[in-house]
Amino acid sequence: MRAAVSLAMSLAFQLAVSPAVCGDRVPGSGFMGLELQAMQADPSSNPASLWVADGKTLWNTAAGIRQKSCADCHGDAAVSMRGVAARYPSPVKGTVRIISLHQKITECQTFRQRASPSEPENHDGLALETYVGVQSSGMPIEPPHGVAMDRAIATGRRIYFQRQGQLNLSCAQCHDQRAGQHLGGAIIPQAHPTGYPIYRLEWQTVGSLQRRLRGCISGVRAQPPPFDAPSLINLEVYLMYRARGMLLDTPAVRP
Amino acid sequence: MFSARLFLALFAAAMPSIGVAQDNADLGRAIFQDRQLGLCLLCHPDPAASMSPQADLAPPLNNIGARLSAKDIKEHLTSPDKFNPQTIMPAYGRAQGLTNVSRRFVGRPILAPNELDAVVAYLSQLRAP
């Protein structure tokens, strides 16, 4: 009897933290051990919770020349930001320019608050992005449609399949063709960016998808584009399109 | 990366003149196992270790010295696509015709010719019982 209860409890626990597999697409958490999955699922053990808390504080703090907070315009993030991270990168309204969620936040800082925009990978910027991201946790990734997006997807796909660097490797050769196998001792995931910004154990901090992409590009000994370069945005767009329908699990923990 | 290469250069300079062939194979093993220099263990499991997890993107090489001549091993290293057009193994020694190579590595092959020969000497010795 006791054994049955403990089995039921362990099954319930595994279900509670089991990654949201979508057809044959598996999020990064699906390649992690149960311990790490549990760390991600429990806010009291997920290190990125500190960034979420800082982001919440920043959301409500007046900043810039205009001394306006995010909340002054957007109100409660749980309402106004719900679903937003599932749609980025997105075209700027009325244009064909596609921007990342990080860039959207910096535009608000620059033009609405008249504050200095957060540099890439800056703690406050990541905290805000994580706080905005977590409002869409559990929602399916839904990239917008349109000519600009189609063009970005096509360019991003071309980059994804392009062999590059001194090691002459493409993203697809590892993340499509060899996902689940081991590079060195590390499991290669399918490269579905469901949980950004992520707390990565290797970094010992929270970082963006672009940081991760630049790391991979440096890894094959190619020249990484600067943050927010069009090629990185296009790659980001392609990866989100590739992961469409999968559930966001921000803030994710990854090895 | 550069400090690893410097260490190996010193290692090579310190080699006694007797048993040079074995020392060259030892140097090759050090390059093979160095994840910043030879990079072999990113894809191949380490023939000298059994701990897990190990890379499994490429075949084990435990018996490669019995299967291939030194000349053939070198050709596999320098022109891997000749044996398998779909291979992900980079052509060691190749420095041209690549896309978007990092400024740190542009115009340079992964291994210098003497390093390549040392790795060939090490691999030629691998003969699993």
Side-chain angles (χ1 to χ4, degrees):
Chain A
M1 175 64 195
R2 185 180 289 174
V5 170
S6 107
L7 179 68
M9 279 178 66
S10 107
L11 272 176
F13 180 70
Q14 287 192 22
L15 282 176
V17 299
S18 70
V21 174
C22 194
D24 48 8
R25 292 176 301 165
V26 179
S29 54
F31 294 93
M32 312 191 307
L34 284 179
E35 225 168 90
L36 217 49
Q37 289 181 22
M39 183 198 270
Q40 171 176 317
D42 178 2
S44 69
S45 65
N46 185 332
S49 299
L50 300 171
W51 277 257
V52 176
D54 284 354
K56 185 175 185 179
T57 305
L58 288 162
W59 181 266
N60 293 298
T61 305
I65 293 171
R66 293 201 176 143
Q67 279 300 293
K68 270 185 173 296
S69 71
C70 309
D72 286 336
C73 292
H74 296 286
D76 184 358
V79 179
S80 62
M81 292 296 119
R82 188 162 164 72
V84 169
R87 297 194 293 269
Y88 270 82
S90 269
V92 178
K93 217 173 181 176
T95 77
V96 292
R97 192 167 76 90
I98 295 172
I99 59 172
S100 65
L101 183 54
H102 161 76
Q103 285 174 304
K104 179 66 197 169
I105 291 171
T106 60
E107 286 201 357
C108 257
Q109 291 170 324
T110 307
F111 300 112
R112 309 286 174 203
Q113 295 179 311
R114 299 270 177 218
S116 333
S118 299
E119 294 291 319
E121 307 307 301
N122 161 276
H123 174 85
D124 286 0
L126 283 170
L128 266 175
E129 193 179 334
T130 309
Y131 182 61
V132 171
V134 85
Q135 312 305 330
S136 306
S137 195
M139 297 179 71
I141 292 172
E142 268 181 304
H145 300 281
V147 178
M149 288 297 286
D150 290 346
R151 204 180 306 153
I153 291 167
T155 311
R157 183 190 285 122
R158 206 157 47 234
I159 298 169
Y160 187 81
F161 285 95
Q162 168 75 54
R163 293 180 78 145
Q164 59 174 316
Q166 191 195 41
L167 304 192
N168 201 26
L169 278 170
S170 71
C171 312
Q173 284 177 313
C174 278
H175 296 286
D176 279 358
Q177 297 163 17
R178 286 166 184 81
Q181 291 179 252
H182 294 81
L183 175 75
I187 289 194
I188 301 173
Q190 290 180 356
H192 296 302
T194 57
Y196 284 88
I198 58 167
Y199 185 92
R200 193 161 185 234
L201 300 184
E202 190 186 312
W203 296 334
Q204 293 284 296
T205 189
V206 164
S208 69
L209 173 56
Q210 291 201 10
R211 177 176 179 183
R212 185 71 193 85
L213 295 175
R214 293 177 87 245
C216 245
I217 293 167
S218 301
V220 300
R221 298 186 172 178
Q223 185 63 36
F227 280 99
D228 296 331
S231 58
L232 279 182
I233 301 283
N234 289 332
L235 198 48
E236 214 173 307
V237 167
Y238 173 63
L239 291 178
M240 291 300 268
Y241 168 76
R242 193 167 152 274
R244 67 197 179 282
M246 297 180 78
L247 305 184
L248 280 180
D249 60 348
T250 305
V253 177
R254 295 289 182 265
Chain B
M1 150 84 213
F2 294 105
S3 60
R5 191 160 254 150
L6 179 65
F7 168 78
L8 289 167
L10 291 171
F11 180 90
M15 289 196 309
S17 52
I18 309 164
V20 167
Q22 183 53 45
D23 286 338
N24 201 35
D26 288 347
L27 173 66
R29 174 176 163 165
I31 293 168
F32 181 90
Q33 291 181 328
D34 189 318
R35 290 180 185 224
Q36 299 293 319
L37 197 49
L39 306 165
C40 311
L41 296 184
L42 291 181
C43 294
H44 294 276
D46 187 354
S50 56
M51 84 271 194
S52 62
Q54 291 240 20
D56 56 10
L57 301 182
L61 300 168
N62 304 46
N63 198 33
I64 196 74
R67 293 199 299 114
L68 296 176
S69 69
K71 182 172 163 286
D72 286 345
I73 291 175
K74 185 162 184 177
E75 204 172 2
H76 272 84
L77 288 169
T78 52
S79 310
D81 50 343
K82 218 171 119 176
F83 302 91
N84 171 14
Q86 302 304 316
T87 188
I88 57 165
M89 179 158 156
Y92 284 73
R94 179 178 175 190
Q96 307 300 325
L98 300 164
T99 303
N100 188 33
V101 176
S102 154
R103 280 193 282 275
R104 276 177 65 197
F105 298 103
V106 76
R108 291 173 40 195
I110 300 172
L111 292 180
N114 62 321
E115 293 169 330
L116 204 58
D117 288 340
V119 172
V120 172
Y122 166 63
L123 293 174
S124 301
Q125 284 191 342
L126 294 179
R127 288 151 203 263

